[in-house]
Amino acid sequence: MSNENILFQDIFDIRDMDPQGKRFDRVSRLVARSENYEMDLTLDFNAEIYPLKIGEKFSLVLASSLSLEPKAATTEGVEKKESWRERAPGERDLSDEYEYVMFGKVYRYEDSNKGAAAGQQVAVYVSFGGLLMCLEGDYRHLQNLAVGENIYLLMRK
């Protein structure tokens, strides 16, 4: 899938679930490792509507927009803003291809102390309305994410 709205994409293998114990009835925290880019993921998700287990694999995408069209063109230096609206019958977007979608904001980007190449490792933190995500790994795979940016997280098994 070649879509310039996609900021990051990989397949993750769940290694642990609720490592510090379950704190909320409907929310779980997973710890996973990616197959392609060797990224570490810690993610809070609604386990009641999207149950996951240790050992399962899932595809994760971070996108700037759900649109299947390329990023909105700029006119005279002003970027066209995408607004939320109810979709027309038959209209498709990126969320149609996934089972679980969240909308959030990148709130922190920092150097990570993990790994041998500590200078190249970064951690990106995103809040999805209080459900938190930390994605750690090589800065080259996370350089499309910026603090203050709104993003979509999409998952499917």
Side-chain angles (χ1 to χ4, degrees), residues 1-14:
M1 170 190 306
S2 175
N3 186 338
E4 64 183 58
N5 294 328
I6 294 178
L7 305 171
F8 176 82
Q9 182 173 13
D10 206 344
I11 295 170
F12 286 84
D13 183 19
I14 299 173

Side-chain angles (χ1 to χ4, degrees), residues 5 7 62-65 81-82 102-107 126-128 144-153:
N5 294 328
L7 305 171
L62 300 177
S64 59
S65 168
K81 288 259 185 193
E82 181 181 315
M102 294 193 290
F103 178 75
K105 187 172 214 155
V106 178
Y107 69 90
V126 183
S127 176
F128 300 98
N144 294 330
L145 300 171
V147 173
E149 181 177 25
N150 291 323
I151 63 170
Y152 292 90
L153 176 142

Side-chain angles (χ1 to χ4, degrees), residues 72-81:
T74 58
T75 309
E76 297 177 23
V78 178
E79 191 172 315
K80 182 182 172 193
K81 288 259 185 193

Side-chain angles (χ1 to χ4, degrees), residues 68 87-93 96:
L68 295 173
R87 291 186 297 174
E91 188 178 5
R92 297 186 47 79
D93 68 18
D96 293 326

Side-chain angles (χ1 to χ4, degrees), residues 7-9 36-39 109 135 137-145:
L7 305 171
F8 176 82
Q9 182 173 13
N36 300 323
Y37 300 131
E38 297 181 355
M39 309 289 279
Y109 193 99
L135 185 58
D138 194 301
Y139 75 94
R140 290 174 292 179
H141 306 301
L142 298 172
Q143 64 188 1
N144 294 330
L145 300 171

Side-chain angles (χ1 to χ4, degrees), residues 129-140:
L131 298 179
L132 304 177
M133 179 189 83
C134 175
L135 185 58
E136 295 179 85
D138 194 301
Y139 75 94
R140 290 174 292 179

